[in-house]
Amino acid sequence: MPDIWKRVWHEKTEAESDIVSQVWGSSEDSTPSIATPAQMVPARKNIGIFSATAMGVSLMMGSGIFSTPASILKLVGTPSMALVLWALGAVISFGGATAFIELGLMYQRNGGTMRFLAHAFPRPKLMLAFLFSWAMIVCIRPGAIAANGPVIGKYWLYAAGQSDSSGWQARGVGFGCITFVTAINIVSAKWSLRLINLLTVIKIVVILIIVITGIVAAAGGIHVEHNDNWSGGFSGTRGDARDYASALTKVFWAYDGFTNLVYSLGELRRPERNLPWSISASVVIVGILYVLANVAFFIVVPIDVAINSEEILAAEFTFRVFGQSVGKVALPIFIGLSVLGTICAQTYGVSRLLDSTNEVGFIPYGRRFCGNHAKLGTPIYSLVAIYALTLLYLFAPPPGKVFDLLVDFVQWSTWLFYGLAAAGAIVLRYTKPHHPLRTFKSFHPLNIMFIAFCIYITVFPFVPPTSDTSDAPYPFYLSPLLGLITTLAGLIPWYFRMYWWPKKTGVNLMAWIESEDAEDVHSAGFDEHDSEQRVDQVDESEPDVKEQTRTVVDDKQANDEQIYVR
């Protein structure tokens, strides 16, 4: 019976079965090393430049711009300062995006940040890459999807006339949406991308409607209640450093998504062209629309009303501009669809990351479940696993003010590792100065600014606020503390997987690093027979931490450029 199930499910030919046997062996880590990626069946190239841009825009332009402006305003005190933070978020995000473009072109495989950290910081035992994978799969992405689900419910229930939409009803709608998105991702990668593309167009149209109507209202073309939101400038701006850290966390929650494409690089067509254009375009488009949308929000909605509207500020805006039928029904429905696109993009990206984590051996017996279904071409096991974790985050917390807790919780670990990845781009510029696939170089001052702000929003949430927080639904330190604990908890499986298991079995769970570097040299057009190769090895008494440096000299290059590969 197990053999029948295996044949029905995998539907491998004899040749494919031979490849799998050669690559992974007959049982868990039965071979002393990991096979090269060249032996693996390649992923389907489903992603073109439009879909690549849509994956970034769709994830960034999700619930953040609709659900966080009110809370950011409350933290900083004035619309003027809130606008500065939104603009600053665009500049800083672009600085981080350029680092991910450079890294993505160097390592053009599914897995993204996991592979970047592994190549930049291989010691000790791929710890940072492992902890990132742990945090992203166990905490960051399932928590973010679970946070977005009820946002859809709130907007759609608001459109249906429900005054109280903060409890289980909103979660129920979120559950249905998450289930639908997971099913689409399982059935077809192409249809998942088409859905992302469609919903991206919808959300851009929604934001443009908000921006245009705000401008028209400011010019007097639409009658709205007058307010003094912009007349006071920065008067009344708050100065609590911790509040700014929390506000920046929410700003970056809205900008989080420009890295989404890197988890699916193995499926991207013409990455040398499409990766830089798509990531850059997504950050620029979203940054401009975010700033203009915030201007429009606070032209129409008074400050006190905006703060009390919380996650449905956009619905309040449309109600005041368009009235009952459009403001409270039509546009909230489209905003919900916009957030649905975010969930679809999140699900697509994280499933590829989990599949890559299985592939490199971070998860015990994960190699038996990695790869795409033969007919559907989707990583079904990974999608089901992410779905189960998401439902845990969706239903486990009690009803109440859970949205801000989840946002801060998942963002703490997110930006910690984003900062480390950007630092990795700088490190690799010096440790591998002539990498054959580095066709784009990021601007280090922008990278450093991005890293500095990542440090800021991971440190200051632990600083006690100066204002009274007695009425807060949870302690100020709870969200970042949960993020820290969840991340550090990954050290336990990391030790057993990367230290204990290799010592017990003799398997080398770091061999794929060297294999990928060697493949990159050959894929860049370097002929092994026309090159001189030198291998310097460290003390053989430490085989688990040995590092090989290979120098390949291309006779075709006039300047005898040297390519150093670990």
Side-chain angles (χ1 to χ4, degrees), residues 22-38:
Q22 293 169 10
V23 174
W24 301 127
S26 58
S27 62
E28 164 69 354
D29 297 333
S30 60
T31 56
S33 64
I34 299 176
T36 64

Side-chain angles (χ1 to χ4, degrees), residues 434 551-563:
H434 305 293
T551 303
V552 181
V553 182
D554 186 5
D555 295 333
K556 298 178 183 178
Q557 294 189 358
N559 61 353
D560 293 331
E561 182 184 36
Q562 291 181 326
I563 311 299

Side-chain angles (χ1 to χ4, degrees), residues 91-97 99-100 252 258-259 415 417-423 444-455:
V91 174
I92 295 171
S93 295
F94 188 81
F100 279 85
F252 282 117
F258 62 82
T259 66
W415 294 96
F417 287 108
Y418 283 0
L420 288 170
H444 280 176
L446 277 178
N447 300 156
I448 293 171
M449 183 188 300
F450 177 78
I451 295 168
F453 272 86
C454 288
I455 294 172

Side-chain angles (χ1 to χ4, degrees), residues 486-499:
T486 303
T487 302
L488 293 181
L491 290 172
I492 299 173
W494 168 75
Y495 172 80
F496 282 102
R497 186 60 177 168
M498 303 304 294
Y499 272 98

